Amino acid sequence: MRILTYKRIHPGDPNTRGRFGVNTCMGRVRDYRYEAVIGIGGIGAEPKSFGIAEKINWVGIGPVRHAAPSKRACEVTFKHFVLLEDQGPKLETLAPNLAKRFYKGGARFLLNGYSDIELVEVLGIIEWAKLQQSLIIGNKNKIKRSTLCPSTCSPVRKRRKC
Protein backbone atom coordinates (compact mmCIF):
# COMPACT_ATOMS: atom_id res chain seq x y z
CA MET A 1 0.00 0.00 0.00
CA ARG A 2 1.41 3.39 -1.01
CA ILE A 3 0.72 6.01 1.64
CA LEU A 4 1.45 9.73 1.32
CA THR A 5 2.26 11.35 4.65
CA TYR A 6 2.84 15.09 4.64
CA LYS A 7 3.25 18.03 7.01
CA ARG A 8 0.61 20.76 6.94
CA ILE A 9 0.92 24.32 8.14
CA HIS A 10 -2.77 25.24 8.21
CA PRO A 11 -6.22 23.65 8.22
CA GLY A 12 -8.77 24.16 5.44
CA ASP A 13 -7.41 21.89 2.70
CA PRO A 14 -8.90 19.33 2.58
CA ASN A 15 -12.11 21.13 3.36
CA THR A 16 -14.88 19.90 5.65
CA ARG A 17 -16.42 18.04 2.70
CA GLY A 18 -13.25 15.99 2.31
CA ARG A 19 -12.00 17.60 -0.89
CA PHE A 20 -8.18 17.75 -0.98
CA GLY A 21 -6.85 20.52 -3.23
CA VAL A 22 -9.67 23.06 -2.91
CA ASN A 23 -7.07 25.73 -2.10
CA THR A 24 -4.40 24.19 -4.36
CA CYS A 25 -2.38 22.99 -1.35
CA MET A 26 0.29 20.35 -2.03
CA GLY A 27 0.07 21.07 -5.77
CA ARG A 28 1.31 18.26 -7.99
CA VAL A 29 1.92 16.03 -4.97
CA ARG A 30 -1.85 15.41 -5.02
CA ASP A 31 -1.40 13.71 -8.40
CA TYR A 32 1.11 11.17 -7.08
CA ARG A 33 -0.20 7.61 -6.99
CA TYR A 34 -1.16 6.51 -3.48
CA GLU A 35 -3.90 4.53 -1.76
CA ALA A 36 -4.08 6.70 1.36
CA VAL A 37 -3.00 10.09 2.73
CA ILE A 38 -2.10 11.09 6.26
CA GLY A 39 -1.97 14.83 6.94
CA ILE A 40 0.01 15.82 10.02
CA GLY A 41 0.56 19.23 11.57
CA GLY A 42 3.96 20.86 11.25
CA ILE A 43 5.86 22.40 14.15
CA GLY A 44 6.17 26.07 13.18
CA ALA A 45 4.30 29.13 14.43
CA GLU A 46 1.45 28.83 11.92
CA PRO A 47 0.42 25.23 12.71
CA LYS A 48 0.80 26.03 16.41
CA SER A 49 -1.54 29.03 16.01
CA PHE A 50 -4.22 26.72 14.57
CA GLY A 51 -3.71 24.01 17.19
CA ILE A 52 -2.75 21.37 14.60
CA ALA A 53 0.99 21.15 15.37
CA GLU A 54 2.38 17.64 15.76
CA LYS A 55 -1.08 16.05 15.48
CA ILE A 56 -2.69 13.70 12.98
CA ASN A 57 -5.02 16.18 11.26
CA TRP A 58 -6.72 13.99 8.67
CA VAL A 59 -6.63 10.62 6.97
CA GLY A 60 -8.04 9.76 3.55
CA ILE A 61 -8.28 6.20 2.23
CA GLY A 62 -9.27 5.23 -1.31
CA PRO A 63 -8.60 8.37 -3.38
CA VAL A 64 -10.96 9.45 -6.14
CA ARG A 65 -9.44 12.06 -8.43
CA HIS A 66 -11.48 14.88 -9.95
CA ALA A 67 -10.28 17.00 -12.85
CA ALA A 68 -9.73 20.63 -11.85
CA PRO A 69 -8.70 22.43 -15.07
CA SER A 70 -8.02 25.75 -13.36
CA LYS A 71 -5.66 24.15 -10.83
CA ARG A 72 -2.18 22.67 -11.12
CA ALA A 73 -3.35 19.20 -10.01
CA CYS A 74 -6.49 17.15 -9.52
CA GLU A 75 -8.73 17.62 -6.53
CA VAL A 76 -9.08 14.40 -4.56
CA THR A 77 -11.88 12.97 -2.43
CA PHE A 78 -11.71 9.70 -0.52
CA LYS A 79 -13.92 6.67 -0.02
CA HIS A 80 -13.13 6.91 3.70
CA PHE A 81 -12.24 10.33 5.13
CA VAL A 82 -11.53 11.31 8.73
CA LEU A 83 -10.99 15.03 9.44
CA LEU A 84 -9.66 15.64 12.92
CA GLU A 85 -7.79 18.96 12.57
CA ASP A 86 -6.92 20.24 16.06
CA GLN A 87 -8.72 17.29 17.73
CA GLY A 88 -6.39 14.61 16.37
CA PRO A 89 -3.99 12.58 18.48
CA LYS A 90 -0.32 13.51 18.67
CA LEU A 91 1.60 11.75 15.89
CA GLU A 92 4.19 10.69 18.44
CA THR A 93 1.51 8.70 20.31
CA LEU A 94 0.67 6.44 17.36
CA ALA A 95 3.93 6.64 15.40
CA PRO A 96 6.96 7.74 17.45
CA ASN A 97 9.53 6.82 14.80
CA LEU A 98 7.62 8.60 12.05
CA ALA A 99 7.24 11.65 14.30
CA LYS A 100 11.00 11.70 14.82
CA ARG A 101 11.58 11.53 11.05
CA PHE A 102 9.27 14.47 10.40
CA TYR A 103 9.95 16.68 13.40
CA LYS A 104 13.63 16.05 14.05
CA GLY A 105 14.70 14.76 10.64
CA GLY A 106 13.02 17.54 8.68
CA ALA A 107 10.95 15.45 6.25
CA ARG A 108 8.24 17.46 4.44
CA PHE A 109 6.42 14.49 2.90
CA LEU A 110 6.99 10.78 2.36
CA LEU A 111 5.58 8.41 -0.22
CA ASN A 112 8.47 5.97 -0.52
CA GLY A 113 11.48 5.37 1.63
CA TYR A 114 9.77 4.59 4.91
CA SER A 115 11.92 2.49 7.21
CA ASP A 116 10.43 -0.87 8.16
CA ILE A 117 9.28 0.45 11.54
CA GLU A 118 7.86 3.66 10.01
CA LEU A 119 5.91 1.57 7.50
CA VAL A 120 4.43 -0.50 10.32
CA GLU A 121 3.46 2.76 12.06
CA VAL A 122 1.76 4.34 9.01
CA LEU A 123 -0.11 1.12 8.32
CA GLY A 124 -1.21 1.21 11.95
CA ILE A 125 -2.52 4.76 11.49
CA ILE A 126 -4.47 3.62 8.42
CA GLU A 127 -5.97 0.70 10.35
CA TRP A 128 -6.83 3.06 13.23
CA ALA A 129 -8.50 5.46 10.78
CA LYS A 130 -10.54 2.62 9.26
CA LEU A 131 -12.03 2.02 12.71
CA GLN A 132 -13.10 5.66 12.94
CA GLN A 133 -16.38 6.64 11.38
CA SER A 134 -15.89 8.59 8.22
CA LEU A 135 -16.39 11.89 9.99
CA ILE A 136 -15.58 15.54 10.30
CA ILE A 137 -14.66 17.23 13.56
CA GLY A 138 -12.57 20.23 14.45
CA ASN A 139 -12.70 23.88 15.36
CA LYS A 140 -14.81 25.60 12.68
CA ASN A 141 -13.53 29.09 13.59
CA LYS A 142 -9.94 28.06 13.02
CA ILE A 143 -10.86 26.41 9.72
CA LYS A 144 -12.68 29.54 8.47
CA ARG A 145 -9.64 31.70 9.12
CA SER A 146 -7.51 29.60 6.81
CA THR A 147 -9.69 28.64 3.88
CA LEU A 148 -7.80 30.59 1.21
CA CYS A 149 -4.20 30.23 2.45
CA PRO A 150 -2.93 32.91 -0.02
CA SER A 151 0.37 33.55 1.72
CA THR A 152 1.52 29.96 1.96
CA CYS A 153 0.32 28.08 -1.13
CA SER A 154 2.07 28.43 -4.48
CA PRO A 155 0.40 30.05 -7.49
CA VAL A 156 -1.46 27.97 -10.04
CA ARG A 157 0.68 26.50 -12.82
CA LYS A 158 -0.27 24.51 -15.86
CA ARG A 159 -1.03 20.97 -14.75
CA ARG A 160 -1.09 17.55 -16.28
CA LYS A 161 -4.20 15.47 -16.87
CA CYS A 162 -5.72 13.61 -13.89
Side-chain angles (χ1 to χ4, degrees), residues 6 10-15 19-31 68-76 108 146-159:
Y6 78 100
H10 59 81
D13 195 342
N15 65 12
R19 203 162 184 98
F20 182 34
V22 292
N23 297 315
T24 72
C25 296
M26 292 307 290
R28 294 182 188 265
V29 172
R30 292 191 316 272
D31 282 345
S70 64
K71 296 183 179 179
R72 60 191 159 152
C74 296
E75 289 185 358
V76 184
R108 171 78 173 104
S146 67
T147 54
L148 294 179
C149 58
S151 64
T152 54
C153 296
S154 302
V156 174
R157 293 185 200 134
K158 187 169 173 109
R159 52 172 290 292

Side-chain angles (χ1 to χ4, degrees), residues 58-88:
W58 73 276
V59 179
I61 304 166
V64 179
R65 289 173 172 73
H66 308 274
S70 64
K71 296 183 179 179
R72 60 191 159 152
C74 296
E75 289 185 358
V76 184
T77 56
F78 298 88
K79 293 175 184 167
H80 186 82
F81 177 72
V82 179
L83 182 63
L84 301 162
E85 297 294 21
D86 58 342
Q87 303 299 304

